[in-house]
Amino acid sequence: MTMKREAKYIATVSLGVMGAGFLATLPTPVSSTIWGTFLQGGFEAGVVGGLADWFAVSALFRHPLGIPIPHTALLPKNREKITKALVSTVENELLSKETIRVRLQQIRFLEHGLELAESHLDNVALHKGLSTLAKQALNAIDLDKLTPLLAEEIHKALQEVDTSRLVSTIVDSIVDGGYDGKTFDFVIDKVEAWAVKSDTRDQLGAMALKAFEGLQSNGFMAFAVNAFIGMVNEEKIGGIIQNFVLSYIEQMRTKNHPRREAVLTFIRNELNKLERNPQLLAELEGLKAKLPGLFDLDEKLSGLLERLKAKAEDFVDQPDFVPQHVVPVVRKMLISVKENEDMLQRGESWIQEQIAAYLEKNHSKIGQLVKENLDKLTNDKLTQLMEDKLGNDLQWIRVNGAICGFIIGLGLAGLKMLF
């Protein structure tokens, strides 16, 4: 603003000097000399040049002296044309689509973004922001809506389970893990524990004697049976049977024993038949439908989710949550992306495509923005703005007009004297 006032002052002084010089060289005894006539021609032309340029400069913005002279106040009168020309220049020349696109293609947005993100990973404010964001995310979880949704999905997943395949998988797991043999050994151990008892011996003896007594025989066979019964008692015959059972159990426990292998083979064959057992499969299908109700799935799932949410909130609330658990993961991810040239290139290409699409869709808004901002300005405000920006140079036009007029006037006066 100071420079503008200084230039305006100089322009006014230059015009004043020319006017004063012209008045001083009006026809008088002094001015009638050769030098007086010569200078008068210069000052006269200087006044004309200064006034003409003042008129021209003023006519750009307003009517000179408020007189509505034709072809003055050019800026207010041609405001719409000037605005359209300015919008067109900005849209099609200064900030054309191609110009912006070429400039943006020179920028590695993803690479710069990754570097910026990595440089701020240890920022305390970022840590607080991430912690707050995590807390808000947890608080935003509506368990009342989430619980039935998860329960429904679990129920659907249960119904979609192939029962036959499930049975086959369980059987394969049992056989591959040797659980059939382990179960058989468990049963053998329990049978052995029962068989070695003295009460078991006595029971077996009593059962054997009753069986012999119940035999329907006559003649020599009846005599032999009665003789045998007379020779033994419950303890003796029970001991014989007990030893036989324990001997058989020992054979069943011995690895690779034919009898043991025969039993295990039979068990495995029966297990393999289960996946094709229609009665078992039907019962399992019915059980699948009842499982959610049997386990009270909704209530248990609700309790589980509440406990998980509470633990997650406590975990997130720890001071070292972000520095110790979030930042290392993010840093590792950023490094992984930076080291993957193919991913970087695909990321940059995607960003450029999005920017190009956005530019194509919104480029016209640049001109609209320029027009809207210009339309907000009144004629007086726009004139003042233009004068503030160009006033210094415009005032020097007046100075140059006065000086050039003075020089030209001197030349013309000289020519008149010569001819």
Side-chain angles (χ1 to χ4, degrees):
M1 187 65 71
T2 302
M3 292 183 63
K4 177 191 169 185
R5 290 178 179 175
E6 182 180 347
K8 188 174 182 179
Y9 173 75
I10 294 174
T12 303
V13 169
S14 66
L15 183 59
V17 169
M18 296 301 164
F22 174 72
L23 293 175
T25 55
L26 287 174
T28 60
V30 176
S31 63
S32 298
T33 62
I34 294 175
W35 284 105
T37 302
F38 183 67
L39 290 173
Q40 185 184 31
F43 285 124
E44 182 179 4
V47 171
V48 173
L51 289 174
D53 284 345
W54 167 81
F55 181 88
V57 170
S58 298
L60 289 173
F61 305 106
R62 60 183 64 83
H63 296 298
L65 301 177
I67 302 172
I69 302 172
H71 305 294
T72 58
L74 299 179
L75 181 60
K77 287 182 178 179
N78 295 277
R79 175 170 180 165
E80 185 174 352
K81 292 181 181 179
I82 294 172
T83 299
K84 289 182 179 180
L86 183 58
V87 169
S88 177
T89 301
V90 171
E91 283 188 349
N92 302 316
E93 300 295 336
L94 300 178
L95 294 175
S96 66
K97 293 180 182 179
E98 189 60 30
T99 301
I100 297 175
R101 187 178 293 111
V102 171
R103 179 64 65 179
L104 290 176
Q105 287 175 350
Q106 299 173 359
I107 304 174
R108 303 279 292 179
F109 288 100
L110 181 57
E111 188 174 332
H112 292 327
L114 292 174
E115 291 176 356
L116 181 64
E118 189 173 9
S119 65
H120 286 77
L121 283 179
D122 296 321
N123 187 287
V124 176
L126 175 65
H127 293 181
K128 291 181 179 179
L130 290 175
S131 179
T132 301
L133 184 63
K135 293 176 184 177
Q136 291 176 349
L138 288 173
N139 291 331
I141 299 175
D142 190 344
L143 296 183
D144 292 336
K145 294 181 179 179
L146 182 60
T147 299
L149 180 63
L150 289 178
E152 182 180 357
E153 292 302 318
I154 293 173
H155 182 71
K156 289 180 180 179
L158 285 174
Q159 300 312 307
E160 292 173 358
V161 172
D162 186 337
T163 308
S164 177
R165 185 176 179 182
L166 175 63
V167 172
S168 176
T169 302
I170 294 173
V171 169
D172 291 342
S173 299
I174 291 173
V175 174
D176 294 341
Y179 294 107
D180 52 344
K182 295 176 182 178
T183 304
F184 184 65
D185 288 337
F186 174 79
V187 174
I188 291 297
D189 290 340
K190 293 300 180 182
V191 172
E192 183 182 32
W194 169 79
V196 297
K197 294 180 179 179
S198 57
D199 291 342
T200 303
R201 181 197 61 199
D202 296 340
Q203 291 175 3
L204 292 174
M207 292 170 59
L209 288 178
K210 287 183 179 180
F212 280 119
E213 290 174 355
L215 288 175
Q216 297 284 334
S217 59
N218 51 30
F220 180 76
M221 179 60 71
F223 175 77
V225 169
N226 291 329
F228 178 75
I229 293 174
M231 293 174 58
V232 296
N233 56 24
E234 293 181 358
E235 183 178 352
K236 289 182 179 181
I237 195 171
I240 295 171
I241 297 174
Q242 186 181 52
N243 291 333
F244 173 77
V245 171
L246 292 176
S247 174
Y248 197 84
I249 289 173
E250 187 62 28
Q251 292 176 6
M252 290 295 180
R253 184 183 284 111
T254 304
K255 302 296 182 183
N256 300 321
H257 193 281
R259 289 180 175 173
R260 175 185 174 87
E261 292 301 319
V263 174
L264 290 179
T265 300
F266 173 78
I267 293 174
R268 289 165 185 164
N269 290 335
E270 292 301 314
L271 288 174
N272 289 327
K273 293 178 183 178
L274 293 178
E275 63 179 288
R276 298 182 298 275
N277 187 318
Q279 183 178 355
L280 174 63
L281 296 179
E283 292 179 358
L284 290 177
E285 287 291 339
L287 181 61
K288 283 196 307 185
K290 297 177 181 178
L291 278 178
L294 291 175
F295 290 103
D296 198 4
L297 185 60
D298 284 6
E299 182 177 348
K300 285 184 170 56
L301 190 58
S302 176
L304 174 63
L305 291 176
E306 288 178 358
R307 292 193 297 273
L308 289 176
K309 183 178 179 181
K311 288 184 178 181
E313 289 174 348
D314 293 339
F315 182 66
V316 168
D317 203 38
Q318 295 176 1
D320 62 345
F321 167 67
V322 173
Q324 296 295 327
H325 302 283
V326 178
V327 171
V329 174
V330 175
R331 178 174 282 114
K332 185 177 181 180
M333 181 182 66
L334 292 176
I335 293 174
S336 175
V337 174
K338 287 173 66 176
E339 292 177 348
N340 191 326
E341 289 296 332
D342 181 61
M343 183 181 293
L344 273 178
Q345 187 58 44
R346 285 189 285 110
E348 293 289 355
S349 299
W350 183 85
I351 293 174
Q352 292 292 345
E353 289 174 1
Q354 300 308 308
I355 293 176
Y358 184 83
L359 176 63
E360 186 69 28
K361 183 179 179 180
N362 298 280
H363 181 260
S364 61
K365 292 182 180 179
I366 296 176
Q368 294 176 5
L369 182 62
V370 173
K371 186 177 184 303
E372 288 174 1
N373 283 302
L374 288 176
D375 290 343
K376 291 178 182 178
L377 302 175
T378 63
N379 286 339
D380 292 339
K381 186 66 175 177
L382 182 60
T383 298
Q384 181 184 351
L385 180 64
M386 296 293 288
E387 286 184 322
D388 287 342
K389 301 301 180 184
L390 304 175
N392 189 42
D393 293 328
L394 293 175
Q395 296 304 323
W396 278 106
I397 290 176
R398 293 172 56 192
V399 175
N400 292 335
I403 295 175
C404 289
F406 178 74
I407 295 173
I408 293 171
L410 291 178
L412 292 174
L415 289 174
K416 284 181 181 181
M417 291 178 186
L418 291 176
F419 299 100

